Amino acid sequence: MSATEKTDVVVVGSGFGGAIAAYHLAAGGADVVVLERGPWLSGEDFDHDYLLGKSYTRVFDFVAGDGMSVLGGNCVGGGSVVYFAALPRAPRFVFDRHGGIGRRMWPAAISRDTLDPWYDRVSEVVPVRKQDWSEVTYAGGLWAAACDHSGRTANPVPVGIDAAKCTNCNWMMAGCRFDAKQSLLFNYIPGAVSHGADIRPLHEVQRITRNDDGDYRIHYTLVDEVDYRIQEPGGTIDAKIVVLAAGAAATPVILQRSEPALGPMPRAVGRYFSGNGERLNTAVINEDRVSELLGLSREDGAAYAANQIGKGPVVANWDKLDGSRPEYTRFSLEQLYFPPGLGTILAQAPDATGPAWFGLGKKEMLSKWRSWLTIFLMTEDDNEGVFGPPPPTGNAYRISQQMLGRGSLRYDPTPNTLRGWAMADAEVKSILERDGLAKVMPWTNDVVGAYTVHPLASCRIGDDPETSALDDRHELRDHPGIFVTDGSAVPGALTVNPALTIAALAERAIPGIVEAARQRGVRVEYGAPLPVKVTNTPATAAGVG
């Protein structure tokens, strides 16, 4: 192992929580090293296919647990590179949720009102714009028309997309080849680099220890750029401040593995995991009824047949996001294009007489894939996920050379969660099956359990030390100088896409992190201007400074 390096701050992960921390600390004068497990790709690197070894398998991390599987980003920029760029703010009632603990989950210091200024700051850097109806894709328009036909409302989703660059190729989930998606590769990351931050891809943090002088030592290995199962000896870096932002499925694992050296972790580390209450429904649209009921048509004569055309979520139904409704009955329904792969495997065949996810019924359903409409449900779950003992390295036992692993997460849905899912499923059916417009089936949990692309809450903030791993400054309880700023810090399900909330919380945490760094001897200031958007490619931006 090489000699130990020294720096002021080590940031683990480069998604919303990591990149924002890296920018502000570097811009404030601190020496910052960012350790990112995944590769650093730019627009030209994102492939429009799903072959092993292509960008799709390189930039995702799919971890199957017991009852819950998690899909996350695995690259510089993290989830911002591979998400659908949907950026709504959390509803006001979210911050008053009690969940399974019987009292307010969120710290008293945080509400929608107190978080709004931080939402505003992020929205200056990653321009958030509500799409006009003229920009909505045909699939989104069909969902909006179906909502209207059934007496519901529909809303264009606020997004972080440069409409002038978007080609409606619908490969947004696998990165954006055309640089239309305003990921962190165009703002916080190049800004951090310009201020001297050292971003190191293919570096996986394994554990943290404490030195005699009170500083922390971060132990990492090097990941092979082709086969992620191959780990080469890495090194160690000493830092006065550690910011963990490896994601809600990895941050608690690092802390669990560090416990023998650091001492007891807060009880909430690795507990209270939330999948954001997520669920997926697949509808097979009746092409004849689309024309008859909704009056829609396309130039080629097909009424719909547009599942793969456009981009990610563009239209949502928010009728049930009503704070006067009881907890676990509030949810959003968002039209979504989910690409082939898991979408094909997990979609159930309507009216199947045998198994719903394979067989003759499934074969018939697959033949109509152009007429599919996928609806993404975000409900209120019960934070029932718990991480078991950590694997020897990484956040999972690696199964394939890229993407696939087996993790220690256990998720057994409570009656509250199951009831919320059932209500949301019924609402989708009520909208899309009205007057024979479509046949709807939820995706099966029989293959990989429940499924989330928005893991949250495994090291959450809060006022109660028994049920929160972090205080309201995002500092790990009883471990001064260690902060968590990724989705694991969010206390519970948000009922909407969480990216903007994660980013706003990270922005809010920075003044406290700067103060702690100064107390630990780091020469750093808070108050640097927000980063300026770059227009060159991420690869070029990475080479600046």
Side-chain angles (χ1 to χ4, degrees):
M1 185 172 289
S2 61
T4 298
E5 299 179 65
K6 288 184 178 293
T7 190
D8 293 330
V9 180
V10 166
V11 178
V12 182
S14 59
F16 284 102
I20 288 173
Y23 170 75
H24 285 291
L25 291 164
D31 292 330
V32 177
V33 174
V34 180
L35 302 180
E36 165 59 50
R37 179 182 59 188
W40 194 334
L41 303 184
S42 62
E44 62 186 11
D45 299 315
F46 296 120
D47 303 298
H48 285 186
D49 64 50
Y50 299 102
L51 298 176
L52 181 64
K54 296 294 187 177
S55 62
Y56 182 76
T57 61
R58 294 175 66 195
V59 300
F60 276 109
D61 183 42
F62 182 81
V63 177
D66 180 3
M68 172 69 76
S69 294
V70 179
L71 183 67
N74 181 58
C75 56
V76 173
S80 79
V81 175
V82 296
Y83 78 146
F84 279 120
L87 295 168
R89 302 186 181 196
R92 186 172 298 275
F93 65 77
V94 160
F95 302 95
D96 294 318
R97 285 198 63 208
H98 285 202
I101 63 174
R103 55 190 176 278
R104 194 175 189 268
M105 293 190 295
W106 284 76
I110 301 178
S111 66
R112 173 59 188 269
D113 288 336
T114 62
L115 199 57
D116 266 335
W118 305 103
Y119 278 129
D120 292 342
R121 281 177 65 84
V122 177
S123 299
E124 288 184 45
V125 182
V126 184
V128 180
R129 49 185 294 275
K130 186 174 181 180
Q131 300 170 100
D132 185 83
W133 282 109
S134 65
E135 301 173 70
V136 165
T137 62
Y138 198 82
L142 175 64
W143 171 237
C147 287
D148 181 67
H149 177 72
S150 63
R152 276 78 164 184
T153 67
N155 307 272
V157 176
V159 295
I161 299 171
D162 185 340
K165 292 184 177 180
C166 182
T167 65
N168 286 320
C169 69
N170 232 333
W171 286 88
M172 185 187 295
M173 187 175 175
C176 181
R177 190 171 182 83
F178 306 105
D179 294 342
K181 180 164 53 178
Q182 299 305 289
S183 73
L184 301 176
L185 296 174
F186 291 95
N187 36 70
Y188 286 102
I189 288 175
V193 170
S194 71
H195 286 285
D198 181 5
I199 299 178
R200 303 180 186 180
L202 300 173
H203 284 58
E204 183 171 69
V205 170
Q206 303 300 338
R207 60 192 177 96
I208 304 166
T209 59
R210 185 182 287 108
N211 299 333
D212 292 339
D213 62 3
D215 288 355
Y216 292 100
R217 179 162 293 177
I218 297 85
H219 303 252
Y220 65 87
T221 54
L222 302 178
V223 181
D224 184 84
E225 65 179 349
V226 174
D227 191 338
Y228 295 168
R229 295 169 298 183
I230 299 175
Q231 297 274 321
E232 299 292 342
T236 55
I237 305 178
D238 286 352
K240 297 183 180 301
I241 293 289
V242 180
V243 179
L244 286 171
T251 287
V253 179
I254 294 171
L255 290 175
Q256 287 176 324
R257 196 181 295 117
S258 303
E259 188 168 23
L262 289 181
M265 287 290 138
R267 177 183 177 275
V269 168
R271 294 178 181 268
Y272 303 110
F273 174 92
S274 167
N276 201 33
E278 291 173 0
R279 191 163 172 78
L280 289 146
N281 280 195
T282 300
V284 181
I285 303 296
N286 183 319
E287 295 284 347
D288 293 333
R289 299 300 279 162
V290 169
S291 179
E292 295 168 8
L293 293 174
L294 307 181
L296 300 179
S297 62
R298 296 176 60 215
E299 291 180 359
D300 61 5
Y304 172 50
N307 176 57
Q308 81 284 14
I309 301 171
K311 45 182 175 283
V314 294
V315 174
N317 169 270
W318 292 326
D319 291 348
K320 302 301 183 182
L321 296 184
D322 180 352
S324 66
R325 294 173 60 87
E327 197 168 356
Y328 304 108
T329 71
R330 301 170 295 203
F331 53 82
S332 63
L333 307 174
E334 191 172 81
Q335 162 272 331
L336 174 71
Y337 172 68
F338 204 83
L342 282 175
T344 301
I345 295 170
L346 300 182
Q348 299 188 71
D351 302 324
T353 56
W357 64 278
F358 68 93
L360 292 177
K362 181 63 174 288
K363 183 177 180 180
E364 172 66 17
M365 180 183 179
L366 290 176
S367 70
K368 301 177 180 178
W369 69 272
R370 290 180 179 83
S371 298
W372 288 10
L373 181 68
T374 302
I375 306 300
F376 187 39
L377 290 56
M378 288 170 277
T379 72
E380 295 171 304
D381 68 3
D382 230 352
N383 290 79
E384 49 265 83
V386 178
F387 285 83
T393 61
N395 67 314
Y397 295 90
R398 292 292 148 197
I399 296 173
S400 63
Q401 72 179 47
Q402 292 169 10
M403 191 172 176
L404 183 60
R406 179 76 187 181
S408 64
L409 176 62
R410 302 189 308 276
Y411 190 89
D412 185 13
T414 68
N416 286 331
T417 297
L418 293 172
R419 191 182 314 116
W421 285 347
M423 291 184 66
D425 287 346
E427 182 72 357
V428 175
K429 274 182 171 285
S430 179
I431 293 171
L432 288 176
E433 292 191 347
R434 184 182 180 93
D435 297 325
L437 178 62
K439 280 287 188 179
V440 180
M441 282 291 287
W443 289 22
T444 181
N445 289 349
D446 296 340
V447 183
V448 294
Y451 173 81
T452 183
V453 295
H454 297 136
L456 304 170
S458 54
C459 293
R460 62 187 185 179
I461 53 175
D463 292 331
D464 178 13
E466 285 297 308
T467 58
S468 59
L470 314 172
D471 62 22
D472 67 1
R473 297 196 318 161
H474 290 244
E475 192 167 28
L476 184 66
R477 298 185 186 278
D478 301 321
H479 297 278
I482 297 179
F483 292 83
V484 176
T485 57
D486 57 20
S488 62
V490 178
L494 300 177
T495 67
V496 296
N497 313 75
L500 192 63
T501 300
I502 295 170
L505 287 171
E507 278 280 359
R508 177 187 173 276
I510 298 304
I513 297 175
V514 168
E515 179 184 351
R518 289 171 60 84
Q519 291 174 355
R520 295 174 69 85
V522 178
R523 299 180 63 181
V524 60
E525 302 289 340
Y526 177 71
L530 290 170
V532 176
K533 173 186 172 183
V534 299
T535 56
N536 49 332
T537 67
T540 304
V544 175

